[in-house]
Amino acid sequence: MNKQDQMTMQEAERKMESLREVFQVVRLVDGKMLMDREKRINAGDLSETCQCYTFWKKDKECENCSSLLALKEQTQKIKFEFLDLQVFQVISRYVEIDGRPYVMEMIQNLDESIQIDQEGYERLISKLSGYNEKLYTDVLTGIYNRRFFEEKIKNMEDEAGIAVIDLDDFKLHNDTYGHSAGDAALITTANIIKKYIRKTDILIRYGGDEFLLILPSIKKHIFEDKLKLIREKIHDAVVPNYEKMQLSVSIGGAIFREGNIEDAVASADRQMYIAKNYKNMVVTEWDENGKKKEENSASEKLKQQILIVDDSEINREILKEILKEDYRILEAANGEECLEQLERYGTGISLVLLDIVMPEMDGFEVLAAMNQNHWIEDIPVIMISSEDSDSYIRRAYEMGVSDYISRPFDAKIVYQRVLNMIKLYAKQRRLIRLVTRQIYEKERNNRMLIGILSQIVEFRNGESGRHVIHINLITQLLLEQLVKKTGKYQLSWEERLLIATASALHDIGKVGIDEKILNKPGKLTKEEFEIMKTHTLIGAQMLDNLDMYRNEKLLKLAYEICRWHHERYDGKGYPDGLVGEEIPISAQVVSLADVYDALVSERVYKKAFSHEKALEMIQNGECGTFNPLLLQCMTEAQDKLKTMMEVAENELKGVEKTE
């Protein structure tokens, strides 16, 4: 700081008087006031405005305050300020007056009286325009950012079509292909939208994977057609360097005519989340005839369902009134009715608003039932109650509720919390569906390859190939029945699927058996039978030789099944004479499935037995000894087993006819 910036108040007044001959406004800003103001802002106190507000006619905080920077750095700062269509140059200079810190502000209006040569003028405008462009541009996509909406669009009054466009499964794209792929998806989406809109239309990156499209002065039917075109073009697009990525968007549309544009954006957002339930879809706030959707219109079916559970009819009506415009409402007057609705609609219910204090069956009992039936995992629950004790709320959260709303109701809070929760679970459900499809596709390919390999074995064994399909189906049925009956074996759905898949390889060792023995029509000699028995060891050895897959769960299960599917519960099986639970459950189940199918199928050495006769022979021990639990499972599921085998046989015959 120069000595000339240290002065008395009289000296400061004289200096400012002379500066006013050059600058339109010269004033002192108290340094202590600036610092105190910053502290209050940082603490969240916005109750008192600084003296700049009146001068610049602003309704919000200054950004990049040049006077504050000049004060902190004890130097001079220059910036440009805008007031309506006027541009001002502001020079802020740090001074000390009577030993106290001040900032002397000198303000000049850059109007026509200020002479700037053409080159300098163009450079100034270019710099200001560049700053403005950077301020309102999304760095990644090059379109407008959320700040542009907040500062430039929020107060618009012109009629316009409003669309919220959400990129489906964006998080999954990021997780599967990496963040660079997510960026590429956003850039591709933005470029396609820009290609199919007018120059007067406004595209904003509104959120991480969400775009806001504003189309001024557009007719309703043209607007909807435009949104459908954008959806189709995005779905057909190829993301550069990520050709396998399939893009799709869910779009919600609304028309803004008057009032607050944020209400139209909120309406478009609600329609978008209806579309999100189906993915790659456009949903607008009007029906096919261009009319506002009515409660009983066909489009109501697209709305998500909310179940309101409260013994007070007045409370139910209040909540219904808040939510009915955007959701289909189901009602239950008590806990029992709630469980009936959950049983009937399942995950067709998007959210439960649950009162805790109810007669007969209260909310906690409902939560217990929802946990027991695993509904709580897929259907979010918001607790509603005037009972606000910590113990009540803590217990509700411990039992799985997602949020708590106290009575009396605040309509806006209720609506927003419901919307937030439904958004969260809608995304979760979409991700689960997508991951499930990917898992299914992967398992289908695995089964197909294993099926091809097992067909080679069946062909060599003189069988039709039905045996492999039958074993798979019977194994799945027995495992499903087993986990319902007991938790002894702790079999997850993934393990059950792998066992059923691996069952196709149970006889792979037969490729090493002489074909004359395999397909001998009569009874095998003792020597021939001993050779036949070695197929269990041959198959196990073949799998054990696959070193690179030895630690894979599927291979381990296939090994167990190959080696031990001819063991018997009483120890009289082969090749190792294992007894009881020494035999892995995978091999036990496939063993029973193998025997049943062998009995009901025709072979070169025998005719087929009926379903009833086969069960009788197995239960009587004519085919060896099996785990009593598995025998009970087969008996309990015998009707389902018979139907399943008949359906499978009919389907196979239908396929053979088409071939």
Side-chain angles (χ1 to χ4, degrees):
M1 183 182 67
N2 298 322
K3 283 189 176 181
Q4 62 182 5
D5 294 325
Q6 295 175 316
M7 59 193 80
T8 65
M9 184 58 75
Q10 285 181 333
E11 290 171 334
E13 291 289 352
R14 285 197 298 270
K15 189 176 184 75
M16 287 192 295
E17 194 61 39
S18 63
L19 286 170
R20 287 187 182 107
E21 295 179 7
V22 179
F23 295 93
Q24 291 170 311
V25 177
V26 181
R27 62 178 187 162
L28 282 178
V29 180
D30 190 312
K32 186 176 184 303
M33 181 276 294
L34 281 173
M35 297 301 292
D36 289 347
R37 176 63 187 159
E38 185 184 36
K39 289 177 184 177
R40 286 196 298 273
I41 291 170
N42 291 338
D45 180 8
L46 303 178
S47 59
E48 187 179 321
T49 59
C50 71
Q51 64 193 73
C52 304
Y53 277 42
T54 305
F55 182 82
W56 295 114
K57 301 178 183 178
K58 289 187 174 183
D59 59 358
K60 60 180 180 178
E61 289 300 320
C62 293
E63 294 184 25
N64 302 319
C65 177
S66 58
S67 294
L68 183 60
L69 287 173
L71 175 72
K72 287 181 176 179
E73 297 177 14
Q74 296 187 6
T75 186
Q76 178 174 292
K77 295 290 182 182
I78 301 174
K79 72 179 289 191
F80 291 100
E81 280 281 0
F82 297 86
L83 183 60
D84 298 325
L85 298 176
Q86 295 177 298
V87 182
F88 293 84
Q89 181 189 39
V90 181
I91 300 173
S92 300
R93 187 175 186 85
Y94 175 79
V95 295
E96 286 183 3
I97 301 174
D98 295 331
R100 290 183 58 192
Y102 285 86
V103 174
M104 188 176 290
E105 286 187 352
M106 295 151 275
I107 303 170
Q108 179 66 44
N109 185 354
L110 299 183
D111 58 16
E112 286 121 2
S113 65
I114 303 296
Q115 296 299 309
I116 304 176
D117 62 72
Q118 187 62 32
E119 183 183 351
Y121 177 79
E122 288 175 358
R123 286 174 63 191
L124 174 63
I125 295 302
S126 174
K127 202 159 188 176
L128 292 175
S129 299
Y131 172 75
N132 198 51
E133 187 176 332
K134 287 179 182 177
L135 194 65
Y136 295 124
T137 300
D138 177 60
V139 176
L140 178 66
T141 60
I143 61 177
Y144 289 118
N145 58 20
R146 179 68 177 261
R147 182 173 184 165
F148 181 76
F149 173 80
E150 297 293 338
E151 296 184 6
K152 300 296 181 181
I153 301 298
K154 209 171 182 179
N155 297 320
M156 74 173 280
E157 298 177 353
D158 299 330
E159 185 174 315
I162 308 293
V164 173
I165 303 172
D166 188 87
L167 192 58
D168 294 328
D169 308 317
F170 179 69
K171 184 179 184 301
L172 197 66
H173 292 323
N174 268 336
D175 294 344
T176 304
Y177 300 103
H179 288 286
S180 58
D183 290 348
L186 287 168
I187 293 168
T188 302
T189 302
N191 288 340
I192 291 170
I193 298 171
K194 284 193 292 185
K195 185 177 179 180
Y196 292 98
I197 60 176
R198 304 165 298 183
K199 289 183 179 180
T200 54
D201 298 333
I202 301 166
L203 179 60
I204 299 168
R205 187 177 175 194
Y206 197 61
D209 55 354
E210 206 168 66
F211 299 89
L212 179 64
L213 181 58
I214 301 170
L215 292 86
S217 306
I218 191 167
K219 292 183 178 178
K220 198 180 290 182
H221 68 280
I222 297 174
F223 177 46
E224 187 167 6
D225 289 344
K226 177 74 72 177
L227 297 183
K228 288 177 180 177
L229 175 65
I230 288 170
R231 178 191 62 79
E232 289 170 7
K233 295 299 181 182
I234 291 172
H235 193 255
D236 293 340
V238 175
V239 180
N241 302 318
Y242 299 96
E243 288 76 12
K244 292 184 179 179
M245 190 190 299
Q246 175 67 69
L247 293 183
S248 72
V249 288
S250 298
I251 305 177
I255 294 292
F256 170 65
R257 290 190 174 86
E258 58 184 3
N260 189 340
I261 194 171
E262 287 187 291
D263 293 336
V265 173
S267 177
D269 191 53
R270 291 193 295 271
Q271 306 308 318
M272 183 273 290
Y273 269 94
I274 294 172
K276 207 76 175 162
N277 287 329
Y278 301 88
K279 207 174 79 165
N280 194 37
M281 191 174 185
V282 174
V283 176
T284 60
E285 62 181 1
W286 56 87
D287 59 22
E288 296 86 349
N289 300 315
K291 295 180 180 179
K292 193 86 171 178
K293 290 174 181 174
E294 297 296 332
E295 187 69 23
N296 296 321
S297 70
S299 59
E300 281 296 306
K301 294 178 181 178
L302 295 174
K303 287 185 178 180
Q304 291 165 306
Q305 290 190 124
I306 292 176
L307 173 58
I308 300 173
V309 187
D310 198 314
D311 60 312
S312 167
E313 186 176 354
I314 294 174
N315 287 336
R316 294 200 306 273
E317 282 300 317
I318 292 171
L319 290 168
K320 185 176 179 181
E321 191 63 32
I322 295 170
L323 301 167
K324 69 179 183 180
E325 184 177 343
D326 297 301
Y327 302 98
R328 283 189 290 153
I329 305 299
L330 299 171
E331 295 183 55
N334 55 58
E336 289 182 357
E337 287 183 15
C338 170
L339 295 183
E340 288 172 7
Q341 298 275 36
L342 288 167
E343 187 74 47
R344 179 180 177 186
Y345 292 102
T347 52
I349 294 172
S350 298
L351 177 75
V352 176
L353 287 168
L354 178 65
D355 186 22
I356 293 297
V357 182
M358 295 184 292
E360 298 178 16
M361 178 184 279
D362 66 17
F364 290 121
E365 291 175 281
V366 171
L367 288 171
M370 290 186 72
N371 277 281
Q372 186 177 353
N373 290 287
H374 302 287
W375 291 328
I376 199 77
E377 297 166 12
D378 300 308
I379 305 170
V381 177
I382 295 179
M383 172 183 169
I384 52 172
S385 181
S386 53
E387 178 59 65
D388 59 357
S389 69
D390 290 344
S391 60
Y392 262 71
I393 298 171
R394 190 182 305 113
R395 185 181 173 192
Y397 278 118
E398 286 170 354
M399 295 186 75
V401 301
S402 301
D403 202 353
Y404 168 79
I405 298 173
S406 61
R407 287 196 291 259
F409 301 123
D410 181 307
K412 287 186 177 179
I413 290 176
V414 171
Y415 185 89
Q416 195 59 51
R417 286 188 174 178
V418 166
L419 178 62
N420 290 347
M421 195 58 59
I422 285 179
K423 281 183 178 181
L424 178 65
Y425 270 74
K427 286 188 174 181
Q428 177 180 304
R429 286 172 180 172
R430 286 194 308 278
L431 287 174
I432 289 171
R433 284 198 297 268
L434 190 58
V435 171
T436 301
R437 284 200 302 272
Q438 290 180 341
I439 291 172
Y440 174 78
E441 188 64 25
K442 182 179 177 182
E443 291 302 324
R444 190 179 72 85
N445 290 335
N446 287 343
R447 289 197 299 272
M448 181 173 66
L449 290 173
I450 291 172
I452 291 169
L453 184 58
S454 60
Q455 285 283 17
I456 296 169
V457 178
E458 297 301 324
F459 177 78
R460 194 169 181 278
N461 198 24
E463 296 174 356
S464 65
R466 284 178 167 82
H467 183 55
V468 171
I469 297 169
H470 291 170
I471 291 292
N472 183 287
L473 293 171
I474 300 165
T475 298
Q476 287 186 62
L477 179 63
L478 290 174
L479 288 170
E480 182 184 323
Q481 196 67 25
L482 183 64
V483 295
K484 286 181 181 178
K485 193 170 187 64
T486 177
K488 179 179 178 180
Y489 298 102
Q490 297 293 307
L491 293 167
S492 68
W493 70 268
E494 183 183 14
E495 288 174 309
R496 300 198 300 271
L497 181 61
L498 287 174
I499 291 171
T501 302
S503 70
L505 299 173
H506 71 288
D507 274 343
I508 193 174
K510 286 183 178 179
V511 298
I513 304 298
D514 191 318
E515 194 173 334
K516 292 177 182 177
I517 296 175
L518 272 179
N519 297 316
K520 184 177 178 179
K523 188 176 181 181
L524 297 178
T525 65
K526 185 178 180 181
E527 292 77 14
E528 289 171 336
F529 185 58
E530 288 302 318
I531 294 171
M532 177 67 85
K533 286 162 63 176
T534 63
H535 81 275
T536 55
L537 297 172
I538 294 170
Q541 188 61 52
M542 289 168 64
L543 295 171
D544 196 46
N545 288 340
L546 298 170
D547 292 335
M548 65 187 300
Y549 301 116
R550 185 170 291 168
N551 294 324
E552 295 292 330
K553 184 70 174 176
L554 179 64
L555 197 71
K556 289 179 179 180
L557 290 169
Y559 179 92
E560 293 174 359
I561 291 166
C562 273
R563 186 176 183 104
W564 295 308
H565 72 282
H566 281 292
E567 298 289 354
R568 291 294 175 260
Y569 210 68
D570 58 3
K572 294 180 180 179
Y574 62 87
D576 299 314
L578 301 182
V579 179
E581 295 304 322
E582 292 177 353
I583 310 167
I585 191 61
S586 59
Q588 290 188 50
V589 174
V590 173
S591 174
L592 182 54
D594 188 29
V595 167
Y596 170 82
D597 190 59
L599 290 173
V600 298
S601 303
E602 189 172 334
R603 296 286 187 264
V604 291
Y605 54 86
K606 62 173 271 300
K607 296 289 184 183
F609 293 103
S610 69
H611 166 76
E612 291 74 19
K613 181 63 177 175
L615 287 181
E616 182 185 330
M617 292 170 71
I618 291 170
Q619 293 288 354
N620 290 340
E622 296 178 42
C623 306
T625 309
F626 297 94
N627 185 335
L629 264 176
L630 288 178
L631 292 178
Q632 289 176 31
C633 290
M634 180 168 270
T635 301
E636 290 165 3
Q638 60 179 305
D639 293 338
K640 193 172 181 180
L641 174 61
K642 183 178 181 181
T643 303
M644 182 184 72
M645 295 294 284
E646 289 172 351
V647 169
E649 190 64 24
N650 290 333
E651 286 179 353
L652 284 168
K653 286 178 180 177
V655 170
E656 288 169 358
K657 284 180 181 178
T658 59
E659 292 173 348

